[in-house]
Amino acid sequence: MTTPESSLLGKPTAYPDAYDPALLYPIPRAPKRHELGIDGALPFTGCDVWNAYELGWLDARGKPKVALGEFRVPADSPNIIESKSFKLYLNSHAQERYDGPDALRARLVEDLSAAAGAPVSVVVVPTTVSGHGQVEGLSGDTIDDLPVAIDHYGPPRPDFLRADGGEVVEETLVSHLLKSNCPVTGQPDWASLQLRYHGPKIDRAGLLRYLVSFRGHSDFHEQCVERIFTDLMRQCRPQRLSVYARYTRRGGLDINPFRSSSGETQPGNPRTVRQ
């Protein structure tokens, strides 16, 4: 397997006009988890929720059909799927004939599960479904307006995170200031983050400084969320923790990694105003 940097992923690419599952580019999760000290059992459960807004195919008579796609890749799968390859793969169905959405879904499940190395959930949502994808706000206390002076924008600084060892709380915190960079193209990735925890009260100013310290950091969405989860567990020691990032879409796709210490594997899929 070539490295992402030496592949075609970050270079101009002709869009395929024929179905091709070989376009999918899996990337092993293990090396980045090793950097975080995760080499055995995972300290979290969860999944990566993908939403596709450019899903199309031809029906049996050759008439174009369109839909929305929701994909859930389990966090314990061996691989992530690089997003540009995912986009190219989805577009390779645009001129392919299917008897119906169920036939398309079956092929998507087969190909994506093979790339991820674990069963991937696929839902093909007709554009006629009323109410699907309505904009919602992330619940929780927003920390972005804190009067905090910030002068560090990378690399991530887990030492900014601290908790008061006295008061134990259960709260949900939200920030819309998470930004990192794609390790392949260098393009910015923007996200809103929801943090739910039970444990010693986390210092909000330190949390905000920590999140902003990702601005110059290069990692895939899934890897950034796992780093945030791991750093919070080590620095603040909550009894329960869930981290959910809702990234803005690129190329008709948004990626939303969710990690939890409480056994949750299937979060909701709230479309935020930035998505």
Side-chain angles (χ1 to χ4, degrees):
M1 179 183 293
T2 59
T3 63
E5 293 78 7
S6 64
S7 72
L8 295 176
L9 299 180
K11 303 174 178 64
T13 306
Y15 277 85
D17 57 5
Y19 162 69
D20 185 3
L23 290 165
L24 291 168
Y25 192 93
I27 297 176
R29 297 185 192 265
K32 282 295 180 178
R33 288 177 172 172
H34 177 73
E35 290 182 11
L36 300 175
I38 303 173
D39 292 307
L42 297 179
F44 46 69
T45 56
C47 68
D48 306 320
V49 182
W50 295 65
N51 294 300
Y53 299 90
E54 298 177 5
L55 180 61
W57 68 97
L58 303 179
D59 69 13
R61 295 176 296 180
K63 187 173 75 172
K65 307 289 285 184
V66 295
L68 306 178
E70 179 185 294
F71 312 91
R72 293 180 180 244
V73 182
D76 59 1
S77 65
N79 305 316
I80 64 175
I81 301 173
E82 195 278 334
S83 61
K84 183 175 182 180
S85 78
F86 204 143
K87 174 182 173 64
L88 293 173
Y89 164 75
L90 291 179
N91 275 275
S92 80
H93 293 272
Q95 292 298 112
E96 193 75 8
R97 296 191 181 208
Y98 292 96
D99 289 336
D102 288 343
L104 171 65
R105 178 188 172 278
R107 180 167 280 181
L108 292 170
V109 168
E110 179 181 1
D111 294 343
L112 295 170
S113 298
V120 174
S121 167
V122 178
V123 179
V124 177
V125 183
T127 56
T128 55
V129 173
S130 176
H132 182 84
Q134 288 185 333
V135 172
E136 303 178 35
L138 289 178
S139 62
D141 295 339
T142 303
I143 64 173
D144 297 342
D145 292 332
L146 292 172
V148 177
I150 297 178
D151 59 7
H152 181 84
Y153 306 100
R157 289 279 301 273
D159 57 301
F160 286 160
L161 297 170
R162 60 182 183 273
D164 178 356
E167 184 182 6
V168 173
V169 301
E170 184 163 354
E171 62 180 359
T172 302
L173 305 177
V174 172
S175 174
H176 302 288
L177 301 185
L178 179 61
K179 174 198 165 291
S180 54
N181 301 307
C182 173
V184 177
T185 65
Q187 292 181 340
D189 296 320
W190 303 86
S192 297
L193 189 86
Q194 183 186 61
L195 165 67
R196 293 187 287 117
Y197 76 97
H198 174 84
K201 188 175 180 64
I202 294 174
D203 176 72
R204 297 186 177 190
L207 174 62
L208 185 59
R209 291 190 181 97
Y210 168 74
L211 295 177
V212 172
S213 74
F214 277 80
R215 288 181 76 82
H217 182 66
S218 294
D219 254 339
F220 293 113
H221 302 51
E222 301 92 333
Q223 296 161 353
C224 287
V225 170
E226 291 184 1
R227 183 177 294 274
I228 292 169
F229 180 96
T230 303
D231 286 345
L232 280 164
M233 289 297 289
R234 289 175 178 163
Q235 296 294 118
C236 302
R237 301 187 180 280
Q239 282 81 55
R240 294 193 307 273
L241 173 66
S242 295
V243 178
Y244 199 4
R246 301 288 305 186
Y247 278 86
T248 59
R249 78 179 75 164
R250 187 195 298 165
L253 287 168
D254 61 50
I255 312 170
N256 309 282
F258 172 80
R259 301 293 182 267
S260 177
S261 67
S262 60
E264 295 177 78
T265 60
Q266 299 300 324
N269 189 12
R271 178 181 171 191
T272 69
V273 68
R274 301 170 72 200
Q275 296 179 302

